[in-house]
Structure formats: structure tokens, C-alpha cells
Amino acid sequence: MKKSMIFTFLILLSIILTACLKEAENQSLNKEMIEELKNGKIVNTPLRLDRKITMTDVEKEWGKPDEHHDHEDIQTYVYVKNNKRFVIAEDELKQVSRIGVELNVTKSEIEKKMGKPTHKSGKILSYHPTGYLITFTKKNEHTWTLNLHRN
């Protein structure tokens, strides 16, 4: 009886640890995310710049934003989904023009996975691999904000 309880406990523990590791991987920079970024998309989200989308499109998928900030010409909206903070900028034409997401990643991980930046400036690493500008802005040693910009 005790052996079966211990065995069951170990199986449950391994399932939980596997789920935690998978979630940690989803919050970091991985190959799938990099490929989608190059195509103007944020993986596993309705957020994309490869075609014109508006906040109405985003709200159909995610509902109303958690925050809204009015900067006259630019409106920014914040969503918190799956422990990630997404910031969406909408231009004066009511089109999404920039998407940001905080990632648990270090500078060395970014450079290892993304390669040498096109441009470095202080706390910002910039990449311009395709028709999109991809920037990483340092918040702290283990948190960087990834921004995908439409050209």
C-alpha cells in the first residue's frame, strides 16, 4: 500500500514538474517564437503584424484589455495572459503597429538564440532580419521586453 502511494506521488510530482518546465519554456525565447517573430507574429497569440489588425480583432480573441493608456496619437493597451504582460500600440489609423511582451531571458540567451544584434544601444538590442524590427529592452538581468515593430 505504501509503495503504491509513493509511486503515485512520484508520478504526480513528475507531471507537475514537466508542466512547470513547459510553462517556463513558453515564457522564454525559443525556436518557434523566433520563427514566428520573423513572420510578424507572436506565437500562440492573436497578435500579428503580417497583416493589418485592429484592437477590435484582438478584443474578439482576448476581450477588453486590462489597461488602456491614451498618448494622443498612439493608444497602448495592456493584457496579462498566462503570466505574460503584452503591450499593444495602436496608431492613429487604428491599426496595431507594435506588440511587446516581457520574457524571462538573459542577454546572453538572446544573443545565443537570435545571433549578433543589428544594433546595440545601452539597454536595447535590435534585430532587423525581415520586414519587421525586433527589439529587446532590458528591464532587469533576467527580464527583457521583446518588441515587434511594423516597418
Side-chain angles (χ1 to χ4, degrees):
M1 179 73 169
K2 284 185 181 182
K3 287 183 181 180
S4 66
M5 286 179 60
I6 291 172
F7 183 70
T8 303
F9 173 76
L10 290 174
I11 290 174
L12 288 173
L13 183 61
S14 70
I15 291 170
I16 291 168
L17 289 174
T18 302
C20 289
L21 288 173
K22 188 146 183 82
E23 180 59 28
E25 181 180 300
N26 288 339
Q27 290 184 351
S28 67
L29 195 59
N30 59 41
K31 187 175 181 175
E32 181 184 11
M33 180 183 278
I34 293 167
E35 287 306 311
E36 290 294 301
L37 285 171
K38 291 177 181 178
N39 292 315
K41 304 172 197 169
I42 303 290
V43 69
N44 299 323
T45 74
L47 307 176
R48 56 191 309 140
L49 298 180
D50 63 329
R51 60 181 168 85
K52 293 180 182 181
I53 66 167
T54 64
M55 280 305 299
T56 303
D57 299 319
V58 176
E59 287 179 2
K60 285 178 187 174
E61 295 282 330
W62 279 357
K64 295 289 181 188
D66 297 307
E67 299 173 30
H68 170 234
H69 304 278
D70 184 350
H71 307 284
E72 294 184 26
D73 291 343
I74 303 292
Q75 303 297 310
T76 58
Y77 303 89
V78 177
Y79 286 90
V80 178
K81 299 287 183 190
N82 300 322
N83 297 320
K84 289 184 187 178
R85 182 177 168 87
F86 294 90
V87 179
I88 302 165
E90 181 182 59
D91 63 23
E92 62 275 357
L93 299 175
K94 301 289 185 198
Q95 294 177 6
V96 173
S97 58
R98 182 181 54 82
I99 303 163
V101 60
E102 290 179 6
L103 300 176
N104 299 327
V105 67
T106 64
K107 179 181 178 182
S108 62
E109 289 175 274
I110 293 168
E111 290 180 332
K112 180 180 178 183
K113 294 179 181 180
M114 292 290 296
K116 183 178 177 183
T118 308
H119 181 74
K120 281 186 186 182
S121 175
K123 296 180 177 185
I124 300 174
L125 304 174
S126 300
Y127 296 86
H128 205 216
T130 59
Y132 306 97
L133 175 62
I134 301 166
T135 62
F136 293 88
T137 306
K138 182 179 181 179
K139 289 194 75 169
N140 62 49
E141 199 61 38
H142 297 284
T143 305
W144 289 69
T145 301
L146 160 69
N147 286 293
L148 179 62
H149 307 260
R150 177 181 286 135
N151 284 334

